[in-house]
Amino acid sequence: MAKFRASGAELVFPAILFLAGSAILFATPLAFPAPNGAQTSNSPSSNQAADQTVPPAKPPTFYKDVLPILQAHCQRCHRPGEIGPMPLVTYEQTRRWSKAIAQAVESRKMPPWFADPQYGRFSNDPSLSNEEIDTLVRWTAANAPAGTAGEAPQAPSWTAGWNIPVPDAIVRMPKPVSLPARGDVEYTYEIVAANFTEDKWVRISEIRPLRRENVHHAVVYIRPPDSQWLRHAPVGVPFTASSLKDEQDRRDAEFTTSDILLVYAPGSSPDQWPEGMAKFIPKGSDLVFQMHYVTRGKPAMDQTTIGLIFARQPPAQRVLTLQLTNSRFVIPPRADDYRVEVHGTLPNDALLLSFFPHMHLRGKRFEYNLVRPDGRAETLLRVNYDFYWQLSYRLAVPRSLSAGTELQAVAWYDNSRKNPHNPDPDSAVRWGDQTYDEMMVGFFDLAVPAGLDKEHYFIRQSQPEEPDGKIHP
């Protein structure tokens, strides 16, 4: 992951390693007790009671009861061509995985969601209700009956190749990137001329790598026509910092204040902003793809694509992605609950929309807090962190924050042998790009007036300095 500095601010962009796997787990069939109140007497009253015994409830069936749950919570990933290791669209596909499904939902491992339910409500929470879990477990216990196909709900209308509706614009890296079988791959850039002849407001967007398994992360930046960032770098072909001849361009490959259009992490969902909000692309802008690739033991080629859906009319609010970052930490060897924090204050009023925490393999928990003037902290989000499922958390009700509001991000790390993902518990760990290094980044999204760009949002209106950290553009 690259760290960017401009005008005294640090910027960090996420690097996420993809690791997919699955295991078949078996649920214990549920035993249902016999109805209470049965009598052994042959008296008329006891016979009448026996006649009135309520029969066992009919088991759930696939088409009537199970398929609606799969459509609402699972098929975004579990359909052909998507990240899920198996499709769960038809009865035949789902029945063979019924025991694994029951075990996964009963343990709440699926759908993936890591926010502590004590703090906040989130519009993209895919968690199943207790009733939905019970339905899936009872269906498995009843040997997964199909039921009647005529009771199936209407199938969702998925866009082929996308998890968003049909894009208004598709932007693809012009030239594929060749990847070696082994070794580290330097951050790869490709500048794409978007050729937009008018300003664009992007309300929905999605990144689609060609080789998901080789993409550690992808970030797409907006380079306005008057920007000097990477101004001498080639357009339309892949390049790395070390391949650039101009010294300023080489520095630019490490530092920028450019707006982020969107970020890709395996397991993440597309960006979709509420009505009246969008990200802004000035006409004539280039889109700069930053790709962090990993090798998988055989050569590969990637050509990443993004899909964009534009707002139908200019929005009232512009979305900015900012962050709280602490890069000055050392996690001691074998420490199992090491704490790192950072504070910052908002330079101007804004509407808080969502969070995206980022750490590496030793990440354990991550927390966002609002710190009140008396020092008390209100927890907005607490995540039991999983490096292999790095999710965004979108507030169900956006939060209005005033200029000067203090935000705190806190991360905990497990550098002990108890952490099964720890590559080396005997080493001290510092900030770094590779997954065996660590990071501490609390991304968050704000909505501000549409006419306010990031540069001007950071002009403070006589607000106090941050206590011990900064919010970064």
Side-chain angles (χ1 to χ4, degrees):
M1 179 182 289
K3 182 168 66 176
F4 293 68
R5 183 186 303 276
S7 301
E10 289 184 0
L11 300 161
V12 185
F13 301 99
I16 297 91
L17 175 64
F18 175 61
L19 180 66
S22 61
I24 301 177
L25 303 172
F26 295 90
T28 302
L30 296 178
F32 294 93
N36 294 326
Q39 301 180 25
T40 58
S41 167
N42 291 326
S43 65
S45 60
S46 64
N47 290 337
Q48 183 179 7
D51 293 340
Q52 293 177 353
T53 299
V54 178
K58 292 183 179 180
T61 63
F62 176 78
Y63 290 108
K64 181 181 180 181
D65 305 294
V66 172
L67 185 55
I69 298 173
L70 300 179
Q71 290 178 351
H73 297 273
C74 309
Q75 289 182 3
R76 186 182 71 83
C77 294
H78 289 276
R79 70 181 200 272
E82 295 305 318
I83 195 172
M86 80 290 286
L88 300 174
V89 177
T90 68
Y91 172 70
E92 292 75 17
Q93 291 167 346
T94 307
R95 186 183 186 279
R96 63 189 294 243
W97 293 100
S98 61
K99 293 179 179 179
I101 292 168
Q103 180 67 28
V105 301
E106 202 168 22
S107 65
R108 295 191 179 271
K109 291 182 179 178
M110 287 288 157
W113 185 251
F114 306 101
D116 187 325
Q118 295 183 79
Y119 305 103
R121 292 189 304 109
F122 301 93
S123 62
N124 61 325
D125 182 353
S127 302
L128 302 181
S129 68
N130 291 333
E131 292 76 15
E132 289 169 325
I133 293 172
D134 180 66
T135 295
L136 295 172
V137 171
R138 290 195 297 117
W139 179 66
T140 297
N143 202 26
T148 304
E151 294 181 307
Q154 183 176 353
S157 180
W158 301 106
T159 304
W162 299 95
N163 275 312
I164 61 175
V166 177
D168 295 323
I170 296 174
V171 181
R172 179 177 289 107
M173 292 165 55
K175 187 173 180 180
V177 178
S178 298
L179 303 172
R182 294 174 179 81
D184 293 337
V185 180
E186 191 178 356
Y187 276 27
T188 303
Y189 292 84
E190 197 157 336
I191 300 173
V192 183
N195 296 318
F196 295 146
T197 58
E198 59 183 10
D199 294 343
K200 296 293 186 182
W201 289 96
V202 179
R203 183 164 175 260
I204 304 174
S205 58
E206 182 180 5
I207 301 183
R208 303 286 294 196
L210 182 62
R211 299 284 299 191
R212 287 195 191 104
E213 64 271 27
N214 288 93
V215 178
H216 194 122
H217 83 264
V219 184
V220 179
Y221 304 103
I222 301 166
R223 187 175 75 169
D226 58 351
S227 171
Q228 295 304 304
W229 180 49
L230 292 172
R231 186 46 62 188
H232 306 100
V235 175
V237 296
F239 64 88
T240 62
S242 63
S243 70
L244 297 173
K245 297 180 179 179
D246 184 85
E247 184 175 346
Q248 181 60 50
D249 285 342
R250 287 196 296 271
R251 288 195 295 268
D252 285 349
E254 297 180 355
F255 303 99
T256 188
T257 56
S258 296
D259 277 343
I260 298 175
L261 178 59
L262 70 167
V263 177
Y264 169 84
S268 64
S269 57
D271 283 346
Q272 180 167 345
W273 308 112
E275 287 286 352
M277 303 179 191
K279 288 198 169 184
F280 182 62
I281 303 178
K283 66 178 181 180
S285 294
D286 297 323
L287 299 181
V288 182
F289 288 65
Q290 182 205 67
M291 308 296 300
H292 185 182
Y293 292 112
V294 295
T295 55
R296 295 294 184 194
K298 60 182 180 180
M301 300 280 287
D302 178 67
Q303 191 171 17
T304 291
T305 302
I306 63 172
L308 307 175
I309 296 178
F310 304 128
R312 298 307 172 213
Q313 58 187 15
Q317 293 177 291
R318 177 174 181 165
V319 177
L320 303 176
T321 298
L322 308 180
Q323 64 196 69
L324 285 157
T325 300
N326 186 336
S327 60
R328 299 176 178 87
F329 58 84
V330 181
I331 305 172
R334 298 174 294 281
D336 65 356
D337 201 36
Y338 189 77
R339 188 178 190 273
V340 177
E341 68 174 87
V342 62
H343 298 243
T345 56
L346 294 181
N348 285 288
D349 296 349
L351 191 65
L352 179 63
L353 303 177
S354 51
F355 307 99
F356 180 83
H358 176 68
M359 299 184 282
H360 286 180
L361 291 170
R362 296 168 178 86
K364 183 177 181 179
R365 295 190 308 280
F366 201 103
E367 189 172 283
Y368 293 82
N369 297 313
L370 188 155
V371 181
R372 301 188 181 281
D374 63 4
R376 291 182 298 121
E378 175 190 350
T379 298
L380 305 175
L381 169 69
R382 178 180 293 167
V383 172
N384 296 308
Y385 191 77
D386 188 327
F387 177 75
Y388 302 111
W389 284 102
Q390 303 200 32
L391 308 180
S392 294
Y393 299 86
R394 301 169 190 155
L395 289 169
V397 179
R399 182 78 173 260
S400 293
L401 300 178
S402 300
T405 297
E406 182 181 347
L407 295 176
Q408 176 196 46
V410 187
W412 288 266
Y413 299 86
D414 185 354
N415 193 26
S416 74
R417 287 184 170 83
K418 293 183 294 184
N419 178 356
H421 307 299
N422 192 347
D424 185 2
D426 295 319
S427 294
V429 185
R430 295 170 171 80
W431 176 280
D433 294 347
Q434 302 303 319
T435 53
Y436 49 76
D437 301 316
E438 266 305 335
M439 289 191 173
M440 191 282 189
V441 187
F443 289 94
F444 59 99
D445 299 301
L446 299 177
V448 301
L452 187 63
D453 62 19
K454 186 160 60 176
E455 178 182 357
H456 289 89
Y457 177 74
F458 272 86
I459 299 175
R460 293 178 179 268
Q461 304 299 318
S462 301
Q463 295 298 324
E465 294 297 321
E466 299 88 346
D468 61 355
K470 285 188 176 181
I471 291 174
H472 304 310

